[in-house]
Structure formats: structure tokens, C-alpha cells
Amino acid sequence: MAKRNLSKQQLRNIKAHKSLHDDFSSATTGLVISHRGKLIELETYDSKTVFCQYRQNLGAIVAGDKVLYLPQDNSEYGIICQILPRINALVRPSKLRADDRTMAANIDQIIIMLAVNPTPIEHYIDRYLVAAHHMQVQPVIVLNKMDLFLTSDNQCQLHNIIELYQRLGYQVITCSALNHDNLQNLKGLLQHKTSIIVGQSGVGKSETLNSLFGHVVTLTGEVSEQNSRGKHTTTSARLFHLDKDTHIIDSPGIREFGIWHLDKAEIFSGFQEFSELDNECRFRNCDHSENTKGCAINQAVKDGKVNKQRLINYHRLIYEYFENNK
């Protein structure tokens, strides 16, 4: 869809309306599809597209938000005057605490997408799982690009990832967006939900969307041969309708996703197998560090009941929490 620009006269009309009127009696509801520069793209209840300016004091308006807006100029344009209460929001914190970035809102499910290439960064998985736990939404781990050549090293890593997270009770599926392998399984998991697809740049989020829809809905990028990192193709989150009850939000590729806006207890609760053992530690204030005397979690790692990498990932997140909250 081509980007719309407001004419100078339309901008003057909107500014005049904003300054003279605070009567929301003519406001109607809309669903935010995307943030497009200085305009917000909305969809109305009858599936019409409206491009809106917004009041600066409203804060971040993101894909998935439901809003009230005042129609202008035969309903092609409008002014957003209120964000309706959110069920939840996926937040990407900034090291500048005042600049935390809300990525999407009103989500039922987080699709954590990995790929054979770029190689999965395992602590990213746990970051998203903690975020999903905090938001009280269902996470699904998807391993894409299974059509690519598997070496002995990455095959072992992928097998370990699948085995670990399935054993913990998470839904894990493999697919190839390029070859359309197992996409029907993924499609079934998406039905009747609003899902956001997250993951490193280059894992094939846009490619997967195009395959699910059967046509190009978003641009795809390549993975750099030099560093195996993806090139950013999605610049802001955008909501797509797979059908009238199934919505998918495509998020920008993220190389860093922190969760230091959560406190220590919230991070800990996101590691479900740790929570089950917490009361068994000798000391109530146990920090679960390696070789801590009487730590039930460290003992479980030694006994092979808890995965060591998960404990390493947990301590990495706790370290980042303290570093970013000094």
C-alpha cells in the first residue's frame, strides 16, 4: 500500500481541530496496523484504511493497539485521541530507561523463530520465553530453514534445542518456509490468535509470512556471508490478517533484546523448572550461583535434572538486569 502524505491544508485543518475541540462524541474505534512515519495506519470495523495523526501525549502507538480516532476529510484521515486499554504489550527496553520501546500490543502468542543459519543464539530463546511468561502469552519455538545443509555441529545444537524445550513442555516445530515444509502445522498453531513473530534478523520471518499467505506481503532479506547476520528488512512492526480471526504481527529483526525492565523475581519466574526447586534451597535469599552451598538448582544441574545452559542464561540475564539498573 502506498504511503499517504497529508496536504498542507489537511494538516492545518487537523491542527485547528486539535486545538479547538476535545469532544470525542464523534470518535470511532480502529485497529492499528502499522506506524508509518508521522502517520498511523488504522483499519476500521468495516476493513477500510485510515491514516491518522495522533496527540503527542498519548505515548507509543503500535501494531495491535485498539484506539479511538476522530475521522477527517471523508474518513480517509483522522486524529487518534485515545489508546484503548491493552491486554498486554511486548516491550523492548533501551539502555536509556526513558526510551523503552513498545513493539506490539494485545498479543495472544509469541512465535520465537530460529534458523539453521544464522546459528541460534540460545540465550535469546530464554529472553523471549521470560517475556512471554511475564505477558502471560503462549510461546511457540519455530526452527526455520531446515532445508539448509546441516553440519555435525549445528545438527547437534538444533537437536539439543528441540529436546530441551520440548522436555520443558514448550511447543517446538521445525519447518522450511522456502520449501513450504510443515507450514500447515504452523498455520494451525496461528489460527484464531493474534501472534507476533520475533527473532534475530535473517531467520526468515518475512519469508515465512510470504509462504503462509501464498504471495509477497513483505520484503525478504539475505544473511551476510561475512558474519551470518541477517539484514534488517522490516523497519516497524506490522499487523497482517491471515483470515478474519487470525492476525500476525511481523516485528523488526532484533540483534539485542533485553528484559531488564523486569525485576529479578520476574526473570526467575520465567525459568519454570527453577521455580519448582526454589523452596528447596537452604537459604531463602539464595542467588543460585555456581557452588553455592545448599542450592537446590545447582544440585539439580549436577544431577542432570536441570540443563546447565539454562542456568548460565539465567545468570546472564540477572547480570544484565543489575548492570542496566545501577
Side-chain angles (χ1 to χ4, degrees), residues 116-142:
V116 174
N117 184 35
T119 303
I121 300 175
E122 294 185 35
H123 61 83
Y124 278 18
I125 304 172
D126 289 330
R127 291 168 192 268
Y128 283 118
L129 290 175
V130 170
H133 176 82
H134 178 67
M135 293 170 62
Q136 297 184 319
V137 301
Q138 178 71 27
V140 177
I141 299 170
V142 176

Side-chain angles (χ1 to χ4, degrees), residues 141-157:
I141 299 170
V142 176
L143 277 164
N144 188 28
K145 301 188 180 182
M146 296 301 288
D147 54 296
L148 296 183
F149 178 72
L150 293 171
T151 66
S152 57
D153 288 338
N154 63 22
Q155 189 170 27
C156 181
Q157 183 195 21

Side-chain angles (χ1 to χ4, degrees), residues 19 61-62 91 150-152 185 188 212 229 238 243 282 306:
S19 61
I61 303 173
V62 296
V91 176
L150 293 171
T151 66
S152 57
N185 191 5
L212 286 168
R229 288 183 173 182
R238 183 175 182 83
D243 58 48
R282 180 181 298 179
V306 167

Side-chain angles (χ1 to χ4, degrees), residues 141-283:
I141 299 170
V142 176
L143 277 164
N144 188 28
K145 301 188 180 182
M146 296 301 288
D147 54 296
L148 296 183
F149 178 72
L150 293 171
T151 66
S152 57
D153 288 338
N154 63 22
Q155 189 170 27
C156 181
Q157 183 195 21
L158 295 175
H159 172 77
N160 289 340
I161 288 172
I162 293 169
E163 183 180 55
L164 168 61
Y165 290 102
Q166 283 182 336
R167 181 159 43 85
L168 290 172
Y170 293 107
Q171 180 81 47
V172 184
I173 65 171
T174 60
C175 69
S176 168
L178 186 63
N179 292 343
H180 297 259
D181 293 339
N182 210 26
L183 282 185
Q184 282 304 116
N185 191 5
L186 176 57
K187 205 168 188 176
L189 292 172
L190 297 170
Q191 288 296 311
H192 310 300
K193 296 182 177 72
T194 296
S195 305
I196 184 168
I197 302 180
V198 298
Q200 296 169 255
S201 300
V203 295
K205 298 188 299 295
S206 298
E207 191 175 69
T208 300
L209 270 176
N210 293 339
S211 295
L212 286 168
F213 280 85
H215 58 88
V216 175
V217 294
T218 183
L219 296 176
T220 60
E222 300 174 350
V223 175
S224 166
E225 293 182 4
Q226 185 175 23
N227 58 18
S228 295
R229 288 183 173 182
K231 299 176 182 178
H232 297 288
T233 52
T234 304
T235 56
S236 64
R238 183 175 182 83
L239 186 145
F240 298 90
H241 303 298
L242 193 57
D243 58 48
K244 68 183 182 67
D245 297 317
T246 305
H247 316 297
I248 308 172
I249 299 174
D250 184 23
S251 68
I254 297 170
R255 291 190 183 134
E256 290 293 337
F257 180 83
I259 53 171
W260 50 80
H261 62 299
L262 305 180
D263 63 30
K264 186 177 177 181
E266 289 170 326
I267 294 171
F268 183 84
S269 67
F271 289 78
Q272 58 186 35
E273 71 274 38
F274 296 178
S275 298
E276 296 166 2
L277 294 167
D278 190 34
N279 291 332
E280 297 180 23
C281 288
R282 180 181 298 179
F283 305 106

Side-chain angles (χ1 to χ4, degrees), residues 301-315:
V301 170
K302 292 175 183 176
D303 295 342
K305 297 177 181 178
V306 167
N307 182 273
K308 184 177 181 179
Q309 186 61 48
R310 286 270 286 174
L311 186 56
I312 291 171
N313 293 347
Y314 164 74
H315 283 298

Side-chain angles (χ1 to χ4, degrees), residues 38-86:
K38 294 182 179 180
L39 298 178
I40 301 291
E41 181 182 344
L42 298 185
E43 186 176 87
T44 64
Y45 68 92
D46 54 354
S47 301
K48 292 180 181 177
T49 299
V50 179
F51 291 89
C52 292
Q53 287 199 320
Y54 53 94
R55 297 171 182 265
Q56 295 298 320
N57 63 352
L58 291 180
I61 303 173
V62 296
D65 266 329
K66 294 177 182 178
V67 299
L68 286 179
Y69 76 97
L70 297 166
Q72 304 286 301
D73 292 346
N74 299 321
S75 300
E76 290 186 22
Y77 302 101
I79 307 165
I80 295 174
C81 51
Q82 184 179 343
I83 303 172
L84 296 177
R86 292 168 172 164

